[in-house]
mmCIF file of all heavy atoms in Angstrom:
data_model
loop_
_atom_site.group_PDB
_atom_site.id
_atom_site.type_symbol
_atom_site.label_atom_id
_atom_site.label_comp_id
_atom_site.label_asym_id
_atom_site.label_seq_id
_atom_site.Cartn_x
_atom_site.Cartn_y
_atom_site.Cartn_z
ATOM 1 N N VAL A 240 -8.269 -3.303 -1.522
ATOM 2 C CA VAL A 240 -9.553 -2.922 -1.897
ATOM 3 C C VAL A 240 -9.624 -1.504 -2.338
ATOM 4 O O VAL A 240 -10.459 -1.220 -3.127
ATOM 5 C CB VAL A 240 -10.453 -3.155 -0.607
ATOM 6 C CG1 VAL A 240 -11.835 -2.592 -0.732
ATOM 7 C CG2 VAL A 240 -10.591 -4.698 -0.256
ATOM 8 N N LEU A 241 -8.762 -0.679 -1.863
ATOM 9 C CA LEU A 241 -8.736 0.682 -2.301
ATOM 10 C C LEU A 241 -8.412 0.780 -3.789
ATOM 11 O O LEU A 241 -8.981 1.424 -4.572
ATOM 12 C CB LEU A 241 -7.712 1.482 -1.498
ATOM 13 C CG LEU A 241 -8.109 1.957 -0.044
ATOM 14 C CD1 LEU A 241 -6.972 2.603 0.539
ATOM 15 C CD2 LEU A 241 -9.287 2.890 -0.151
ATOM 16 N N THR A 242 -7.434 -0.042 -4.093
ATOM 17 C CA THR A 242 -6.896 -0.252 -5.535
ATOM 18 C C THR A 242 -8.110 -0.751 -6.372
ATOM 19 O O THR A 242 -8.289 -0.183 -7.491
ATOM 20 C CB THR A 242 -5.713 -1.128 -5.608
ATOM 21 O OG1 THR A 242 -4.678 -0.574 -4.727
ATOM 22 C CG2 THR A 242 -5.324 -1.233 -7.071
ATOM 23 N N GLN A 243 -8.744 -1.722 -5.955
ATOM 24 C CA GLN A 243 -9.868 -2.225 -6.731
ATOM 25 C C GLN A 243 -10.963 -1.333 -6.821
ATOM 26 O O GLN A 243 -11.702 -1.224 -7.950
ATOM 27 C CB GLN A 243 -10.402 -3.529 -6.058
ATOM 28 C CG GLN A 243 -11.480 -4.348 -6.767
ATOM 29 C CD GLN A 243 -10.972 -4.840 -8.154
ATOM 30 O OE1 GLN A 243 -9.772 -5.086 -8.247
ATOM 31 N NE2 GLN A 243 -11.859 -4.972 -9.080
ATOM 32 N N SER A 244 -11.245 -0.467 -5.811
ATOM 33 C CA SER A 244 -12.187 0.616 -5.927
ATOM 34 C C SER A 244 -11.915 1.620 -6.984
ATOM 35 O O SER A 244 -12.774 2.000 -7.881
ATOM 36 C CB SER A 244 -12.367 1.307 -4.529
ATOM 37 O OG SER A 244 -12.852 0.360 -3.620
ATOM 38 N N ALA A 245 -10.724 2.001 -7.142
ATOM 39 C CA ALA A 245 -10.230 2.885 -8.228
ATOM 40 C C ALA A 245 -10.304 2.253 -9.498
ATOM 41 O O ALA A 245 -10.789 2.852 -10.592
ATOM 42 C CB ALA A 245 -8.755 3.321 -8.015
ATOM 43 N N LEU A 246 -9.998 0.984 -9.711
ATOM 44 C CA LEU A 246 -10.224 0.322 -10.901
ATOM 45 C C LEU A 246 -11.605 0.211 -11.395
ATOM 46 O O LEU A 246 -11.991 0.338 -12.589
ATOM 47 C CB LEU A 246 -9.582 -1.066 -10.883
ATOM 48 C CG LEU A 246 -8.070 -1.248 -10.666
ATOM 49 C CD1 LEU A 246 -7.734 -2.638 -10.404
ATOM 50 C CD2 LEU A 246 -7.448 -0.781 -11.952
ATOM 51 N N LEU A 247 -12.562 -0.090 -10.396
ATOM 52 C CA LEU A 247 -14.028 -0.262 -10.721
ATOM 53 C C LEU A 247 -14.541 1.225 -11.059
ATOM 54 O O LEU A 247 -15.455 1.246 -11.842
ATOM 55 C CB LEU A 247 -14.795 -0.728 -9.498
ATOM 56 C CG LEU A 247 -14.436 -2.306 -9.176
ATOM 57 C CD1 LEU A 247 -15.117 -2.622 -7.877
ATOM 58 C CD2 LEU A 247 -14.964 -3.041 -10.282
ATOM 59 N N ALA A 248 -13.923 2.280 -10.659
ATOM 60 C CA ALA A 248 -14.329 3.530 -10.975
ATOM 61 C C ALA A 248 -13.847 4.024 -12.314
ATOM 62 O O ALA A 248 -14.190 5.105 -12.819
ATOM 63 C CB ALA A 248 -13.931 4.538 -9.896
ATOM 64 N N GLY A 249 -12.956 3.326 -12.944
ATOM 65 C CA GLY A 249 -12.463 3.660 -14.308
ATOM 66 C C GLY A 249 -11.005 3.334 -14.407
ATOM 67 O O GLY A 249 -10.533 3.043 -15.482
ATOM 68 N N GLY A 250 -10.249 3.421 -13.399
ATOM 69 C CA GLY A 250 -8.785 3.185 -13.393
ATOM 70 C C GLY A 250 -8.045 3.946 -14.452
ATOM 71 O O GLY A 250 -7.135 3.345 -15.152
ATOM 72 N N VAL A 251 -8.292 5.214 -14.555
ATOM 73 C CA VAL A 251 -7.764 6.019 -15.652
ATOM 74 C C VAL A 251 -6.267 6.342 -15.484
ATOM 75 O O VAL A 251 -5.670 6.870 -16.349
ATOM 76 C CB VAL A 251 -8.591 7.303 -15.955
ATOM 77 C CG1 VAL A 251 -10.045 6.953 -16.326
ATOM 78 C CG2 VAL A 251 -8.693 8.117 -14.761
ATOM 79 N N ASP A 252 -5.845 6.163 -14.317
ATOM 80 C CA ASP A 252 -4.457 6.459 -13.959
ATOM 81 C C ASP A 252 -3.842 5.206 -13.173
ATOM 82 O O ASP A 252 -4.392 4.370 -12.755
ATOM 83 C CB ASP A 252 -4.372 7.842 -13.162
ATOM 84 C CG ASP A 252 -3.018 8.449 -13.166
ATOM 85 O OD1 ASP A 252 -1.969 7.828 -13.668
ATOM 86 O OD2 ASP A 252 -2.841 9.517 -12.527
ATOM 87 N N ASN A 253 -2.455 5.326 -13.107
ATOM 88 C CA ASN A 253 -1.804 4.393 -12.195
ATOM 89 C C ASN A 253 -2.353 4.621 -10.757
ATOM 90 O O ASN A 253 -2.621 5.731 -10.315
ATOM 91 C CB ASN A 253 -0.334 4.495 -12.148
ATOM 92 C CG ASN A 253 0.258 4.561 -13.634
ATOM 93 O OD1 ASN A 253 1.191 5.367 -13.834
ATOM 94 N ND2 ASN A 253 -0.180 3.818 -14.568
ATOM 95 N N ILE A 254 -2.426 3.425 -9.963
ATOM 96 C CA ILE A 254 -3.018 3.538 -8.688
ATOM 97 C C ILE A 254 -2.023 2.890 -7.642
ATOM 98 O O ILE A 254 -1.474 1.758 -7.856
ATOM 99 C CB ILE A 254 -4.189 2.737 -8.600
ATOM 100 C CG1 ILE A 254 -5.238 3.152 -9.670
ATOM 101 C CG2 ILE A 254 -4.914 2.882 -7.223
ATOM 102 C CD1 ILE A 254 -6.213 2.133 -10.154
ATOM 103 N N THR A 255 -1.509 3.682 -6.699
ATOM 104 C CA THR A 255 -0.601 3.157 -5.626
ATOM 105 C C THR A 255 -1.243 3.537 -4.277
ATOM 106 O O THR A 255 -1.553 4.665 -4.076
ATOM 107 C CB THR A 255 0.781 3.790 -5.795
ATOM 108 O OG1 THR A 255 1.219 3.374 -7.120
ATOM 109 C CG2 THR A 255 1.761 3.278 -4.724
ATOM 110 N N CYS A 256 -1.225 2.551 -3.394
ATOM 111 C CA CYS A 256 -1.825 2.738 -2.101
ATOM 112 C C CYS A 256 -0.858 1.958 -1.092
ATOM 113 O O CYS A 256 -0.555 0.885 -1.207
ATOM 114 C CB CYS A 256 -3.246 2.146 -1.808
ATOM 115 S SG CYS A 256 -4.408 2.646 -3.045
ATOM 116 N N VAL A 257 -0.422 2.742 -0.042
ATOM 117 C CA VAL A 257 0.459 2.132 1.030
ATOM 118 C C VAL A 257 -0.228 2.379 2.380
ATOM 119 O O VAL A 257 -0.438 3.553 2.734
ATOM 120 C CB VAL A 257 1.829 2.760 0.951
ATOM 121 C CG1 VAL A 257 2.697 2.206 2.260
ATOM 122 C CG2 VAL A 257 2.701 2.369 -0.340
ATOM 123 N N VAL A 258 -0.558 1.317 3.030
ATOM 124 C CA VAL A 258 -1.335 1.447 4.276
ATOM 125 C C VAL A 258 -0.438 1.060 5.375
ATOM 126 O O VAL A 258 0.183 -0.074 5.346
ATOM 127 C CB VAL A 258 -2.645 0.606 4.249
ATOM 128 C CG1 VAL A 258 -3.369 0.651 5.521
ATOM 129 C CG2 VAL A 258 -3.548 0.971 3.091
ATOM 130 N N LEU A 259 -0.295 1.885 6.454
ATOM 131 C CA LEU A 259 0.653 1.699 7.511
ATOM 132 C C LEU A 259 -0.056 1.825 8.903
ATOM 133 O O LEU A 259 -0.730 2.857 9.147
ATOM 134 C CB LEU A 259 1.748 2.827 7.479
ATOM 135 C CG LEU A 259 2.523 2.954 6.251
ATOM 136 C CD1 LEU A 259 3.278 4.251 6.166
ATOM 137 C CD2 LEU A 259 3.412 1.706 5.861
ATOM 138 N N ASP A 260 0.058 0.820 9.689
ATOM 139 C CA ASP A 260 -0.269 0.951 11.073
ATOM 140 C C ASP A 260 0.802 1.379 11.996
ATOM 141 O O ASP A 260 1.960 0.839 11.841
ATOM 142 C CB ASP A 260 -0.924 -0.494 11.472
ATOM 143 C CG ASP A 260 -2.199 -0.734 10.926
ATOM 144 O OD1 ASP A 260 -2.940 0.219 10.570
ATOM 145 O OD2 ASP A 260 -2.645 -1.898 10.768
ATOM 146 N N VAL A 261 0.545 2.358 12.903
ATOM 147 C CA VAL A 261 1.576 2.767 13.847
ATOM 148 C C VAL A 261 1.663 1.833 14.957
ATOM 149 O O VAL A 261 0.668 1.726 15.619
ATOM 150 C CB VAL A 261 1.372 4.239 14.218
ATOM 151 C CG1 VAL A 261 2.531 4.599 15.137
ATOM 152 C CG2 VAL A 261 1.430 5.084 12.904
ATOM 153 N N VAL A 262 2.682 1.123 15.248
ATOM 154 C CA VAL A 262 2.758 0.052 16.322
ATOM 155 C C VAL A 262 3.875 0.429 17.256
ATOM 156 O O VAL A 262 4.856 1.216 16.952
ATOM 157 C CB VAL A 262 2.849 -1.342 15.830
ATOM 158 C CG1 VAL A 262 1.662 -1.693 14.859
ATOM 159 C CG2 VAL A 262 4.109 -1.555 14.964
ATOM 160 N N ASP A 263 3.864 -0.184 18.390
ATOM 161 C CA ASP A 263 5.025 -0.097 19.336
ATOM 162 C C ASP A 263 5.617 -1.463 19.573
ATOM 163 O O ASP A 263 4.904 -2.463 19.805
ATOM 164 C CB ASP A 263 4.409 0.408 20.673
ATOM 165 C CG ASP A 263 5.429 0.749 21.720
ATOM 166 O OD1 ASP A 263 6.610 0.753 21.359
ATOM 167 O OD2 ASP A 263 5.125 0.853 22.924
ATOM 168 N N GLY A 264 6.978 -1.527 19.551
ATOM 169 C CA GLY A 264 7.495 -2.782 19.711
ATOM 170 C C GLY A 264 9.045 -2.679 19.584
ATOM 171 O O GLY A 264 9.617 -1.464 19.464
ATOM 172 N N PRO A 265 9.779 -3.749 19.733
ATOM 173 C CA PRO A 265 11.276 -3.678 19.649
ATOM 174 C C PRO A 265 11.616 -3.261 18.352
ATOM 175 O O PRO A 265 10.978 -3.471 17.320
ATOM 176 C CB PRO A 265 11.650 -5.205 20.035
ATOM 177 C CG PRO A 265 10.480 -6.001 19.705
ATOM 178 C CD PRO A 265 9.195 -5.035 19.995
ATOM 179 N N ALA A 266 12.927 -2.721 18.225
ATOM 180 C CA ALA A 266 13.471 -2.381 16.953
ATOM 181 C C ALA A 266 13.541 -3.686 16.084
ATOM 182 O O ALA A 266 13.800 -4.750 16.488
ATOM 183 C CB ALA A 266 14.819 -1.743 17.061
ATOM 184 N N VAL A 267 13.361 -3.476 14.738
ATOM 185 C CA VAL A 267 13.403 -4.662 13.871
ATOM 186 C C VAL A 267 14.426 -4.217 12.687
ATOM 187 O O VAL A 267 14.549 -3.100 12.387
ATOM 188 C CB VAL A 267 12.106 -5.054 13.269
ATOM 189 C CG1 VAL A 267 11.100 -5.475 14.321
ATOM 190 C CG2 VAL A 267 11.462 -3.792 12.439
ATOM 191 N N VAL A 268 14.953 -5.229 12.217
ATOM 192 C CA VAL A 268 15.833 -5.144 10.986
ATOM 193 C C VAL A 268 15.156 -5.921 9.906
ATOM 194 O O VAL A 268 15.149 -7.237 9.919
ATOM 195 C CB VAL A 268 17.314 -5.585 11.224
ATOM 196 C CG1 VAL A 268 18.076 -5.487 9.902
ATOM 197 C CG2 VAL A 268 17.963 -4.853 12.290
ATOM 198 N N GLY A 269 14.458 -5.251 9.026
ATOM 199 C CA GLY A 269 13.673 -5.963 8.021
ATOM 200 C C GLY A 269 13.710 -5.420 6.632
ATOM 201 O O GLY A 269 14.367 -4.383 6.460
ATOM 202 N N ASP A 270 13.201 -6.229 5.631
ATOM 203 C CA ASP A 270 13.293 -5.735 4.284
ATOM 204 C C ASP A 270 12.040 -4.867 4.048
ATOM 205 O O ASP A 270 11.005 -5.011 4.744
ATOM 206 C CB ASP A 270 13.194 -7.030 3.453
ATOM 207 C CG ASP A 270 14.498 -7.863 3.439
ATOM 208 O OD1 ASP A 270 15.601 -7.283 3.794
ATOM 209 O OD2 ASP A 270 14.440 -9.037 3.112
ATOM 210 N N GLY A 271 12.231 -3.994 3.046
ATOM 211 C CA GLY A 271 11.172 -3.199 2.630
ATOM 212 C C GLY A 271 10.735 -3.632 1.226
ATOM 213 O O GLY A 271 11.546 -4.152 0.459
ATOM 214 N N MET A 272 9.459 -3.457 0.832
ATOM 215 C CA MET A 272 9.039 -3.851 -0.383
ATOM 216 C C MET A 272 9.022 -2.784 -1.395
ATOM 217 O O MET A 272 8.629 -1.593 -1.097
ATOM 218 C CB MET A 272 7.563 -4.387 -0.339
ATOM 219 C CG MET A 272 7.403 -5.654 0.578
ATOM 220 S SD MET A 272 8.560 -6.958 0.080
ATOM 221 C CE MET A 272 7.994 -7.363 -1.592
ATOM 222 N N LEU A 273 9.381 -3.096 -2.637
ATOM 223 C CA LEU A 273 9.412 -2.249 -3.802
ATOM 224 C C LEU A 273 8.151 -2.335 -4.597
ATOM 225 O O LEU A 273 7.661 -3.584 -4.843
ATOM 226 C CB LEU A 273 10.629 -2.412 -4.730
ATOM 227 C CG LEU A 273 12.009 -2.628 -4.168
ATOM 228 C CD1 LEU A 273 13.005 -2.713 -5.204
ATOM 229 C CD2 LEU A 273 12.325 -1.417 -3.259
ATOM 230 N N LEU A 274 7.541 -1.266 -5.063
ATOM 231 C CA LEU A 274 6.168 -1.327 -5.789
ATOM 232 C C LEU A 274 6.380 -0.452 -7.004
ATOM 233 O O LEU A 274 7.071 0.536 -7.023
ATOM 234 C CB LEU A 274 5.140 -0.815 -4.834
ATOM 235 C CG LEU A 274 4.901 -1.638 -3.549
ATOM 236 C CD1 LEU A 274 3.851 -0.796 -2.783
ATOM 237 C CD2 LEU A 274 4.277 -3.006 -3.910
ATOM 238 N N GLY A 275 5.637 -0.941 -8.067
ATOM 239 C CA GLY A 275 5.452 -0.083 -9.172
ATOM 240 C C GLY A 275 6.754 0.064 -10.049
ATOM 241 O O GLY A 275 7.542 -0.954 -10.060
#
């Protein structure tokens, strides 16, 4: 929705948004996503 808001406002530049919630839990071994 943040990205769409920038597009609706004109989208004159590349738009990148990464949203992170800080959580507590056991250690994980996971993949990370590449963007752009």
